[in-house]
Amino acid sequence: MHLAIELANTVRARRGAVCDELQTPADLAAWLGRVRFLCAVPVDDEALSTVGSAELAAARGIRTAIRAIAGAVSASQTPAAADVESLNAAARMAPRWQELAFADTEPRLTTRHGAPVMTGAIAEVAADAVALVAAGHLGTCAAPGCVLLFLRDRPNREWCGNSCGNRVRVARHYDRRRHAASDGEAV
């Protein structure tokens, strides 16, 4: 699981219509609550209660940049400079470090951050996207009607999951059979 892909995929296609799962600050808080275990910045319930329209706008802006960059890279095109800068600017807001402390003789590391919790958590998504794009691991699903992104874990991967891959293969098979039948061949 990657934060960038999870955020990008809050835009989904359902029954032919594109749905946005981040309409309100409460939607963003719920999403962050589901992915907080991926965040290096501690996202607790108190922090989630502070999510407002500014955080929603920031998350949606990052999501737009991630999707635009992934689409360009998947099409072997150079992403728009504005999208790259938007993502980089957001990633720069995630300063974090670890501090060493001791409980008696036991060393303990504590992650500290210089940004407000919500700003840091959202910026972390941007930092994840930067790393995925730079490594060539962010892909857009090639299945018709699908708008999801996926982790390109092998060079020939084209689909977000088995269901999209199966749907495309079944459609190809159906087209071959239909063309063979229309040409008068035995099916």
Side-chain angles (χ1 to χ4, degrees), residues 49-89:
S49 70
T50 68
V51 174
S53 57
E55 290 82 12
L56 178 62
R60 291 180 72 163
I62 292 167
R63 179 183 66 186
T64 298
I66 292 168
R67 295 184 66 77
I69 292 168
V73 170
S74 291
S76 299
Q77 298 172 350
T78 302
D83 291 325
V84 173
E85 178 50 31
S86 175
L87 195 57
N88 284 334

Side-chain angles (χ1 to χ4, degrees), residues 97-145:
W97 65 92
Q98 291 189 319
E99 287 183 2
L100 180 63
F102 285 86
D104 294 322
T105 59
E106 292 297 314
R108 184 178 49 182
L109 285 176
T110 303
T111 300
R112 301 283 186 206
H113 50 89
V117 172
M118 286 299 98
T119 303
I122 292 168
E124 220 174 307
V125 174
D128 185 46
V130 167
L132 287 173
V133 170
H137 293 303
L138 195 57
T140 57
C141 186

Side-chain angles (χ1 to χ4, degrees), residues 82 154 176 186-187:
R154 56 187 187 280
R176 281 193 303 269
V187 180

